[in-house]
Amino acid sequence: MLPEEVIPAGPVTLRPHTDADAESIVRACADPEIVRFIPLVPSPYTHDDALRYLDSARAAWKAGGAEFAIADPETGEWLGNIGIKPPLPRDTAEIGYLVAPWARGRGVATAATSALTGWGLAHGLERVELLADVENLTSQCVAMAAGFRREGVRRGAEGRRDGTRRDLVSFARLRTDSGERVRPYLPWFPGGSLTDGTVRLRPLTPADTEEYLALQVLPDVVEHSVPPEAPSVEEAAERCRSAGADWLAGTMAQAVILDASTGAFAGDIQLSGVIPPLGQAMTGYSVLPGFRGRGFATRAVNLLVGWAFEHTPLERIIAGTSPDNLASQRVLERAGFTREALMRGLLPGPDGTRLDDLQWYRLREAPGGSGGPDGPDGSGGR
């Protein structure tokens, strides 16, 4: 059995629960974010539910787990819950937490998670796991800030309130790990978006699903996609749902292109095929017909590549176009890319055919492009 004690955790303290915490727990568990991401929390949440939780928290200690209140170190005010579930085989346990809405934005979750994980590893655990909903980017950032490394996605690992299943991103910290913050290879855009005054880029989100799908099923966009197939509604929803987690994983930075003056959805752009040892990634883009010929694609490429060279270790960005997609080639030329090679039969085409790919590159030291008009097409990046 783990020892019940008080753990200093920087801006907070981890302490045993008291019955006086019940009222605050009820208030916090009415928060939509807690209801959304913690399916086991009853909704609506009552005082009796809080008392049942406090009973289970005390019982967890006897079962080999540990449940703490996250509290203000000076006032003792309850700010959240955090716990280690009873160890699994081979000295492995799972950590979980919730933080009250009024305590967020000041490092409470990271400090508590880091402290409790270190405490558990010091008391015999060899591995601590943390699972986060694929859409819960805040929790994934907390895991990385507390020294956890991403291991993958557990598909359909847990049920939702509506009867569907949700994917969980798996993180773990070992006794042998340093516990230092894991910094993402692809950081978020500074301030959340990039703009040159004409276009704005921001990360793709689940709220973009309808407009994203409408773009991806356009015949000329499908023609230049790899493979040249339109996504289903489910596939488009999954791409949007997992886009943030992919960004944090360092595998893809996918953004929407917006008209900076109106906020209208104009297209999408991404960095994919990220290869850290080579310092290389690939860009691709698509623009809705109503925004073509206005320089949006060129501006978006310049913004994304400029961000990549300033804020990531990437040294080389590549792109591919169909040999006959002259509009996309003009976009890349205006964005400072240089033609490199024609790869014969590189890509899968319709009905089992193979397609040529004209490849382009831009290096970190290369100057940016002009941001001029795309030309008559500018539909897609191949």
Side-chain angles (χ1 to χ4, degrees), residues 227-229 345-356:
E229 300 172 358
L346 178 68
L347 303 175
D351 303 319
T353 60
R354 302 294 298 183
L355 302 176
D356 296 344

Side-chain angles (χ1 to χ4, degrees), residues 17 69-70 163 211 248 290 341 352 371 374 377:
H17 289 88
I70 306 172
E211 291 172 304
L248 285 174
D374 300 338
D377 185 10

Side-chain angles (χ1 to χ4, degrees), residues 145-222:
F148 285 70
R149 299 184 189 177
R150 188 183 194 271
E151 295 186 325
V153 177
R154 298 186 183 182
R155 297 180 300 126
E158 189 171 62
R160 291 191 176 98
R161 297 175 193 275
D162 61 4
T164 60
R165 306 289 298 180
R166 65 177 186 152
D167 296 344
L168 297 177
V169 184
S170 176
F171 295 85
R173 182 171 148 190
L174 308 182
R175 179 194 292 272
T176 52
D177 290 341
S178 68
E180 295 179 0
R181 176 187 294 267
V182 177
R183 299 193 179 277
Y185 189 82
L186 302 175
W188 297 118
F189 292 153
S193 67
L194 305 174
T195 186
D196 64 359
T198 299
V199 303
R200 184 166 72 89
L201 307 185
R202 63 157 175 76
L204 181 72
T205 73
D208 299 311
T209 299
E210 184 176 349
E211 291 172 304
Y212 175 80
L213 177 63
L215 172 67
Q216 297 302 320
V217 299
L218 292 175
D220 55 359
V221 173
V222 173

Side-chain angles (χ1 to χ4, degrees), residues 10 24 27 30 36 73 83 107 160 205 207-209 227 238 294 296 316:
S24 296
R27 188 157 57 99
R36 178 186 178 194
R160 291 191 176 98
T205 73
D208 299 311
T209 299
E238 174 60 26
R294 297 165 56 183
F296 274 45
R316 171 180 160 92

Side-chain angles (χ1 to χ4, degrees), residues 15 17-25 47 51 54 58 78:
R15 60 160 174 78
H17 289 88
T18 70
D19 289 342
D21 296 327
E23 183 177 346
S24 296
I25 293 174
H47 191 79
L51 294 179
L54 292 173
R58 297 181 184 105
W78 180 94

Side-chain angles (χ1 to χ4, degrees), residues 280-299:
Q280 176 178 289
M282 173 181 287
T283 189
Y285 43 86
S286 300
V287 177
L288 288 169
F291 294 92
R292 295 175 190 168
R294 297 165 56 183
F296 274 45
T298 302
R299 291 176 180 276

Side-chain angles (χ1 to χ4, degrees), residues 9 191 311 316 332 375:
H311 296 280
R316 171 180 160 92
L332 293 172

